Amino acid sequence: MTGIRIRQAAELLGVSDDTVRRWIDNGSLAAEKDESGRKVVDGPALAEFARANASKSPDLLGSESSARNRFTGIVTAVVMDKVMAQVEMQCGPFRVVSLMSSEAVRDLGLEPGKVAVAVVKSTTVIVETPGGVA
C-alpha cells in the first residue's frame, strides 16, 4: 500500500485536513493506520476518489475543443513590449504563464483582474516524482 498522510492528501486535493478527516469519518474515503499508528490513505484509492470527485472548470469559452487541459483563472500580470507579451494567471493553486503576441493580448483585452481560460495542448508533458523516488 502507498500510504499518503492526511495532510498531504489534503494538499493534493486542494482542501483542508479537516475536510479529508470528515470524508474518512463519513466513509467517503477509506483510510488505514500505518506502522506508526497514523491514519493514511491508500494512494490508488485517493487517485480514484480525486477522479470521481473532480469538478470541471467552468466552460467560459462555450466551444468544443480537442484540448482537455483547461484552467479557468484570473490574469494577475501582463508584461508587454511592442511585439511579445508574458501573461500570468492564477488558476486555483496553480500559476500559469503564457507567452503570446502583444496583438493577441490587446485583442483579448487581457489585463490584471480579467477572468480567462488557459487552454493547454501539448505533446510534451514532463512527469516527475518527489525526491526522484519511483
Side-chain angles (χ1 to χ4, degrees):
M1 174 176 111
T2 305
I4 298 176
R5 296 189 57 188
I6 289 176
R7 182 181 62 176
Q8 186 179 17
E11 289 172 359
L12 293 168
L13 296 173
V15 298
S16 71
D17 298 10
D18 288 337
T19 297
V20 173
R21 286 187 187 90
R22 278 192 297 277
W23 288 333
I24 291 169
D25 291 344
N26 74 22
S28 299
L29 183 60
E32 298 179 4
K33 293 201 176 190
D34 66 8
E35 58 278 351
S36 300
R38 295 176 298 220
K39 282 187 182 178
V40 293
V41 179
D42 177 53
L46 184 62
E48 181 55 35
F49 182 85
R51 178 185 290 268
N53 293 284
S55 60
K56 286 187 159 188
S57 280
D59 182 11
L60 300 179
L61 301 179
S63 63
E64 295 297 320
S65 173
S66 64
R68 297 294 178 245
N69 303 310
R70 293 174 176 224
F71 306 99
T72 301
I74 188 164
V75 176
T76 56
V78 176
V79 178
M80 193 164 51
D81 66 17
K82 190 173 183 179
V83 177
M84 293 299 294
Q86 175 180 308
V87 177
E88 293 185 27
M89 295 175 58
Q90 194 66 38
C91 303
F94 304 105
R95 176 177 170 250
V96 177
V97 180
S98 177
L99 302 177
M100 64 183 75
S101 70
S102 294
E103 178 182 12
V105 169
R106 288 189 296 274
D107 289 349
L108 294 170
L110 297 177
E111 60 185 28
K114 173 105 179 193
V115 175
V117 179
V119 180
V120 179
K121 179 78 172 185
S122 177
T123 56
T124 303
V125 176
I126 298 168
V127 177
E128 300 175 331
T129 58
V133 178

